[in-house]
Amino acid sequence: MSKQPIGIFDSGVGGTSIWKEIHALLPNENTIYLADSLNAPYGPKGKERIIELCVKNTEILLRKGCKIIVVACNTATTNAINYLRTNYMIPFIGIEPAIKPAALHSSTKTVGILATKGTLSSELFSKTSSLYACGIKVVEQDGDGIVQLIENGKLDSDEMRSLLKIYLQPMIDAKIDHLVLGCTHYPYLIPQLLELLPKHVKIIDSGEAVAKQTKSILKKNALLNNQISNPKNQFFTNTDLKILNSLLGNNYKVEYLDF
Ligand code: DGL
């Protein structure tokens, strides 16, 4: 069982930011990444539809023999992880916006969060936010359009820069000192965000924490692959291979899968 792959899925290519953290921490593990780019973005879809899509992705990863599933999408986690944990036997790791460390370290007592509508309006997010950001002003911003631009290969474009400028201004005006990235597509925007934000603003994302949590749950369940062999890393998308390829570099092969 320990040699079985770690399954990872996202609404598209953004979850590769999480795959990279997992691969760096657990280089011996076999992995399978599913990019459901055909259905991206999940953010504007309702909870029921997001659950349906997560079930579809989960079933594919289970058929491929995964021993654990990482839901590398904040929108999918905040809307569907409880459903998945209730209905399937294997462990699920989710990702949520890192409000807690941002709130804890904020001097201005004001933090910003950029996430999808689906994440910001979820019950799980409002619970986490009221639990950890008590006494802190949280400036929420729906990043509408950002995921679509990344999925369309416009990560580094004038359109992206203009959108980010519009989204960041209210946070800058409110004097945030931490910006929480609440979507796994957004770590790819860090160079542009750093250009647009005042120097003292810290950017926080949850990728490393997710990788650590994956390791700890594998260990707890005696599922760590301790064999030093040539791990297999497979990447599947249900649209064009180009964008996923461009984020992974030439060392990995991306395959088309109809799902
Ligand atoms: N990567 C997804 C997330 O973390 C993007 C969601 C979407 O497709 O809108 O939320």
Side-chain angles (χ1 to χ4, degrees):
M1 187 66 179
S2 64
K3 282 197 218 122
Q4 297 299 106
I6 298 175
I8 302 167
F9 77 79
D10 178 37
S11 61
V13 297
T16 50
S17 63
I18 305 301
W19 174 83
K20 287 176 185 174
E21 299 280 358
I22 291 174
H23 183 60
L25 188 67
L26 298 164
N28 293 334
E29 296 290 337
N30 297 302
T31 62
I32 298 182
Y33 183 89
L34 269 194
D36 189 15
S37 294
L38 190 64
N39 292 298
Y42 283 9
K45 297 181 167 62
K47 183 177 171 127
E48 291 309 309
R49 179 68 182 138
I50 294 171
I51 291 177
E52 254 173 47
L53 293 167
C54 290
V55 165
K56 170 185 65 92
N57 300 332
T58 297
E59 298 278 347
I60 293 166
L61 292 172
L62 289 178
R63 278 203 294 278
K64 290 186 177 293
C66 292
K67 60 184 175 184
I68 189 170
I69 292 181
V70 180
V71 181
C73 175
N74 291 259
T75 314
T77 300
T78 50
N79 285 277
I81 198 126
N82 289 340
Y83 181 93
L84 297 174
R85 286 186 175 139
T86 311
N87 287 281
Y88 295 95
M89 296 291 286
I90 61 160
F92 284 88
I93 308 294
I95 178 161
E96 279 188 75
I99 284 280
K100 189 180 171 184
L104 209 64
H105 296 115
S106 174
S107 315
T108 58
K109 300 284 171 237
T110 310
V111 303
I113 165 148
L114 190 59
T116 69
K117 185 174 162 220
T119 294
L120 294 173
S121 62
S122 69
E123 237 173 85
L124 199 57
F125 174 72
S126 53
K127 259 193 207 156
T128 313
S129 188
S130 49
L131 189 67
Y132 297 118
C134 185
I136 299 279
K137 185 172 172 200
V138 180
V139 186
E140 294 179 10
Q141 178 64 54
D142 171 0
D144 188 28
I146 296 178
V147 167
Q148 291 96 311
L149 285 177
I150 295 176
E151 291 290 328
N152 290 327
K154 292 183 176 166
L155 177 64
D156 191 14
S157 63
D158 289 342
E159 266 164 289
M160 182 68 86
R161 247 176 290 278
S162 316
L163 205 55
L164 291 179
K165 248 189 186 163
I166 295 169
Y167 290 164
L168 294 180
Q169 199 54 53
M171 301 194 193
I172 296 170
D173 292 345
K175 304 216 176 336
I176 62 158
D177 59 0
H178 288 74
L179 171 65
V180 178
L181 302 185
C183 171
T184 55
H185 283 68
Y186 301 170
Y188 288 112
L189 296 168
I190 289 175
Q192 294 169 61
L193 291 169
L194 287 173
E195 266 174 37
L196 294 167
L197 286 166
K199 292 279 165 287
H200 68 278
V201 176
K202 271 194 90 173
I203 297 176
I204 313 249
D205 81 88
S206 326
E208 203 187 330
V210 170
K212 285 186 179 156
Q213 177 68 358
T214 306
K215 184 176 179 181
S216 125
I217 297 297
L218 285 176
K219 200 170 168 192
K220 202 169 140 201
N221 289 280
L223 287 172
L224 275 175
N225 186 3
N226 293 315
Q227 306 222 330
I228 318 274
S229 55
N230 249 353
K232 203 166 155 196
N233 296 291
Q234 294 175 276
F235 298 89
F236 296 101
T237 174
N238 49 12
T239 55
D240 194 78
L241 315 183
K242 244 188 4 245
I243 312 300
L244 193 52
N245 253 327
S246 72
L247 294 179
L248 291 168
N250 292 331
N251 291 340
Y252 300 99
K253 190 174 150 233
V254 176
E255 293 167 71
Y256 174 78
L257 184 73
D258 188 7
F259 67 98

